[in-house]
Structures are given as structure tokens and as C-alpha cells.
Amino acid sequence: MLVEIFPDYETLSERAYELVATLIRRKPNCVLGFATGSTPLGLYRRLVEGYRRGELDFSKVVTFNLDEYVGLPPSHPQSYHHFMWANLFQHININPSNVHLPNGMVDDIEAHCDWYEEQIRRVDGIDLQILGIGPNGHLAFNEPGSSLGSRTRIKTLSRATRRANARFFGSEEAVPRHAITMGIGTIMEARRLLLLASGRAKARAVRAMLEGPISAMVSATIVQLHRYAHVLLDAEAASELAYNHHDGISEPFDVH
Ligand code: GLP
């Protein structure tokens, strides 16, 4: 794993931008996996700015998002569809037919999940998957107990996650109970992972992810098995690490 620690969220976001922008320039038809949550917002803002400055062209970029709440229509302000369009897609020249998110409104969820996996295979997989981490150590909505070989499917959200996301919905009760999420097996097939974590609230999950034993109870620990996992942390998110990951720093991976 390549772990880089930055003094604050802005420098972390700047580094994430540099890595994603480099990939888009070298491979204009790259397949990007996007995440929601507050953590990647600094990256998305920079991607919009890079596009406006004429540095980036998204016309051939293909995207897949990690997850979506069940029961929220794309127009719902808290749906991940809405989040992605409001924070990124509507501001760049992405081709809407290249954008993929699970649809939380379908009747046949199982068939839809199979279809989603098929769409990822059809474009020969995800080049770079951007990830956040939940305070309980989950990736996407792969809650504690998720099979480490899981594929895209419906998951029941844990109490901790619904509590953590209540801030967006006004109350815990208003947070949907289920979500469609890429599985851990799906995420692990991405050629590269870029995981971002910021703030003290993530420090314990980050420690478990990087230094704890691999466990279905903390799905993010699976990144330890990925060949190209790149983890960007700010000082607060790194504050509970025991090992000095700075010592082990190597050259950032080359994207191709
Ligand atoms: C949700 C998303 C995750 C995200 C997590 C952390 O649970 N499904 O993909 O990583 O929130 O969000 P934040 O970045 O807001 O802390």
C-alpha cells in the first residue's frame, strides 16, 4: 500500500486531483469509480475547476458510482444521483450515457445489480476507484459482516451508518434503511484504488484499515490485499496510526 499523509484536507484534495487528472490526461477514455460523501468534495471541486481551466476533457470518461439509497428517486436531494450531478457531472462535459449509478427505484433489485456488474465488465473494468471510508470502517455501503467476496447487491444499513448520515436527512428516521452497493469483490477488481480519509472521526477506522487484521467486520481492511491501493490521509485521520507510514513511502504509482 502507498500511504501519504498531508497536513490538512486541502492538500490531500490537491494530491487526489493531481492523481485523477493525470489519469484522465493519459487515458482520456478511462473508467473512473466515484464515491459520495463529504470527503471527495474537495477533489470534485478541483475536477470542475480543472475542466473550466481547459485542463481536463471528460467527453470520453466513463463513470461508475459505488452505491445508492433504495427508495430515493434520482431527483431526491439526498440521492447519490443528485449528489453526483450537483457536485460534479453537471459542471463538466461528461456524456450522460457514460455515467452509471445504481438505481434505487427499480422493482427487481437483483436483476438490476447483475446488470450493473455486467456494465462494468462491458467496459473492461474500472481503472481507478475513488473511495471514502465510513466511521465504522465500511467501504461504499459494505457494512460490518459483508462478505469480502461480495458483488453489487442490496444491503441493510447499520444503525451507526444511519446515525452518521442523519446529518444530511435531518433525522436518523429519515435515512433510508437499505442501499444498493458495489460489493467488496467488485471494488477489489478495480485496477487501482484511491482511498481518501479526513478528520479525527475517521482515525480509528483508518487505523483498523491499515494496521488491523483483515476482517469482514471492517470491510475497508480488504485494501491490504489490493496490489495498487493508494491511501491519502490528513494528519487527523492518521492520528491513531502506530506505524510511521511516512517511513515506508515509495514513488506514487504510475497510471497507464
Ligand atoms: C457513506 C458512503 C461511503 C462514504 C461514507 C463516508 O456511507 N456510502 O461511500 O465513504 O459515507 O462519508 P463521508 O466522506 O461524508 O465521511
Side-chain angles (χ1 to χ4, degrees), residues 162-216:
R162 294 183 66 231
R163 205 176 299 133
N165 290 359
R167 65 190 196 278
F168 301 114
F169 288 84
S171 75
E172 196 180 313
E173 258 318 289
V175 181
R177 292 177 183 277
H178 301 95
I180 295 174
T181 178
M182 272 190 210
I184 294 297
T186 323
I187 292 168
M188 286 295 284
E189 280 173 13
R191 281 184 274 283
R192 288 181 163 79
L193 304 181
L194 180 61
L195 189 143
L196 318 177
S198 163
R200 193 160 295 276
K202 299 294 173 65
R204 280 185 57 200
V206 165
R207 179 172 186 176
M209 167 175 73
L210 296 178
E211 299 179 347
I214 295 171
S215 162

Side-chain angles (χ1 to χ4, degrees), residues 35-40 66-67 69 80 131-135 138-141 161 165 167-168 202:
T36 50
S38 37
T39 312
L66 288 169
D67 45 12
Y69 290 111
Y80 286 169
L131 295 164
I133 180 172
H138 71 207
L139 292 184
F141 275 131
T161 294
N165 290 359
R167 65 190 196 278
F168 301 114
K202 299 294 173 65

